[in-house]
Amino acid sequence: MTFLNPKYQHLVSYVPGEQPKQTTIIKLNTNENPYPPAPGVAAAVQAAAQQLAKYSDADCLQVRLPLAERFDVTIDEVFIGNGSDEVLSLAFQAFMAKGVAFPTITYGFYQVFADMYQVEARVVPLNVDLTLDLDLYRSLTQTIVIANPNAPTGLTLSASALEELVKEDLERLVIIDEAYVDFGGESMVAYTKQYANLLVIGTFSKSRQLAGARLGYAVGDPSLIADLNRLKFAVNPYNVNSLTLAAGAAALADERYFHTQIEKVIQVREWTKHKLTSMGFQVTDSAANFVFIAHPQVSAKVILEKLKADGIYVRWFDHPLIDHYLRVTIGTSAQMDRFVQSVQQILKEAVR
Ligand SMILES: *Cc1c(COP(=O)(O)O)cnc(C)c1O
């Protein structure tokens, strides 16, 4: 006996990376930021806690105003969501009447949302070197979703290349997921003024140390934002809680901390790339807060398991095109030092 609507009978859900209870684990498996939130966040959350008897602001102005200012847009060009996953979820519900197209290798949630909302998905192959061939999208009429930098490869496209795609067909919506853009990508936010068929989605989870707070956004033409709001106010008007709004506002108020921590992640990423390359790994040219690596002699599965036994969690994807790769989030320099040492030991044992 099941009470589940038969349309969900075969739904395959998203599988989040493991969140171990032990705090001694070095967690390099879910692309979280290794540093704590900006120093002002804790006090802001504590103050907001005094007001928890009241509903949160359905218009999310506390975050929407400073974000609009930062992006040099008006507030009716900004939507705030409960993590960018919620923003993507609403976008899949709102904008996919003509179907959706995205790369074979990308953020796994796109396929899950397509299944969930029964949107026909066109999966577009990547080049063998895992780069994205925009020519393959040119004639498509479906809404296009591209993560830039892409996950889990970390590879980027230039804003001007993406602009070509956007302007080629103004009747077709292009959604750019910029979850990792602050670590080295080129943002398309500035182009949203010019193109009403461009929606840019971003998150506070990766570059603003707020993964646990659940805060994401979209920037686009006021009509796209109004559509997202139409759906949001039909499902969950208070989609972002007041503690999270306070946390987001405090994070946005500290630009200096934001930039300093990003610089650290980038520096450690480049150090890690260098170390892994010299150990014989193939390392994609990631512009994100993770590296994507494959070793010619030792299987990814073996490295994954041995690292785990050594208390270091990384991410492996069960997909034939990338199952020889591991995605490793950039931690603190001490954590990456430990990671590199552990991998060196694993290789030594495996390749003798
Ligand atoms: C992490 C991630 C998200 C989701 O971020 P949240 O804001 O935490 O929901 C969206 N897109 C990509 C590509 C991501 O890697």
Side-chain angles (χ1 to χ4, degrees):
M1 180 66 209
T2 174
F3 293 101
L4 182 67
N5 187 321
K7 73 179 180 183
Y8 300 128
Q9 205 182 337
H10 301 291
L11 180 66
V12 181
S13 303
Y14 181 75
V15 184
E18 227 177 310
Q19 295 289 359
K21 296 275 175 294
Q22 315 95 288
T23 49
T24 51
I25 299 285
I26 297 183
K27 231 184 131 297
L28 310 176
N29 66 334
T30 50
N31 295 346
E32 289 142 332
N33 199 297
Y35 305 107
V41 168
V45 169
Q46 199 163 27
Q50 303 302 316
Q51 302 297 322
L52 275 177
K54 300 209 174 74
Y55 279 107
S56 63
D57 173 17
D59 295 321
C60 304
L61 289 175
Q62 223 181 326
V63 170
R64 217 164 135 208
L65 280 163
L67 208 52
E69 194 174 330
R70 178 169 194 270
F71 289 140
D72 198 18
V73 298
T74 59
I75 59 164
D76 60 351
E77 293 167 285
V78 180
F79 178 85
I80 305 295
N82 191 310
S84 60
D85 285 341
E86 186 194 43
V87 183
L88 284 163
S89 170
L90 290 167
F92 267 76
Q93 290 173 76
F95 303 128
M96 307 298 179
K98 291 188 240 168
V100 62
F102 49 78
T104 23
I105 301 300
T106 189
Y107 187 39
F109 231 134
Y110 304 154
Q111 184 65 58
V112 175
F113 287 136
D115 293 345
M116 175 73 190
Y117 302 123
Q118 314 202 326
V119 169
E120 190 156 352
R122 167 107 175 220
V123 178
V124 182
L126 291 179
N127 295 319
V128 282
D129 62 358
L130 303 178
T131 55
L132 210 140
D133 181 359
L134 282 181
D135 283 341
L136 300 179
Y137 296 79
R138 296 210 178 277
S139 60
L140 300 181
T141 54
Q142 293 95 330
T143 294
I144 295 170
V145 183
I146 288 175
N148 189 45
N150 196 15
T153 64
L155 298 174
T156 54
L157 292 162
S158 69
S160 62
L162 288 167
E163 185 193 7
E164 289 304 312
L165 185 71
V166 171
K167 77 171 167 204
E168 190 170 65
D169 180 357
L170 300 177
E171 311 267 282
R172 174 186 62 198
L173 181 64
V174 176
I175 299 177
I176 305 296
D177 180 348
E178 296 192 344
Y180 301 104
V181 77
D182 295 326
F183 300 104
E186 253 189 295
S187 177
M188 293 288 289
V189 161
Y191 294 83
T192 59
K193 284 267 178 213
Q194 206 175 333
Y195 300 105
N197 62 322
L198 171 64
L199 187 71
V200 174
I201 295 180
T203 178
F204 284 58
S205 294
K206 315 289 166 49
S207 60
R208 292 209 183 254
Q209 299 91 10
L210 289 180
R214 314 304 304 127
L215 189 60
Y217 57 86
V219 184
D221 189 82
S223 75
L224 289 170
I225 302 306
D227 294 339
L228 289 172
N229 273 315
R230 178 193 285 249
L231 268 65
K232 159 184 144 154
F233 279 89
V235 183
N236 188 10
Y238 309 107
N239 61 331
V240 182
N241 73 71
S242 23
L243 302 183
T244 293
L245 289 175
L252 281 172
D254 198 337
E255 279 294 298
R256 178 121 79 108
Y257 184 80
F258 172 65
H259 289 294
T260 314
Q261 305 314 105
I262 281 174
E263 278 313 311
K264 284 198 224 173
V265 170
I266 292 172
Q267 213 169 45
V268 176
R269 177 187 71 206
E270 296 308 311
W271 177 87
T272 307
K273 279 183 186 170
H274 174 77
K275 284 283 177 189
L276 291 167
T277 308
S278 67
M279 286 152 75
F281 280 91
Q282 266 171 264
V283 182
T284 64
D285 188 20
S286 171
N289 67 337
F290 55 82
V291 289
F292 197 52
I293 62 168
H295 198 276
Q297 278 124 40
V298 189
S299 90
K301 261 295 192 53
V302 165
I303 301 174
L304 174 85
E305 291 309 327
K306 296 207 163 173
L307 278 171
K308 191 165 185 178
D310 195 20
I312 302 172
Y313 287 21
V314 299
R315 193 88 191 261
W316 174 79
F317 296 94
D318 189 6
H319 187 295
L321 289 173
I322 51 166
D323 61 4
H324 50 305
Y325 277 90
L326 291 172
R327 190 195 68 190
V328 183
T329 305
I330 299 302
T332 62
S333 86
Q335 289 175 325
M336 298 321 280
D337 214 33
R338 263 274 281 133
F339 163 76
V340 164
Q341 277 174 30
S342 185
V343 172
Q344 261 160 353
Q345 190 59 34
I346 292 165
L347 293 186
K348 204 154 94 187
E349 283 163 17
V351 206
R352 66 175 151 208

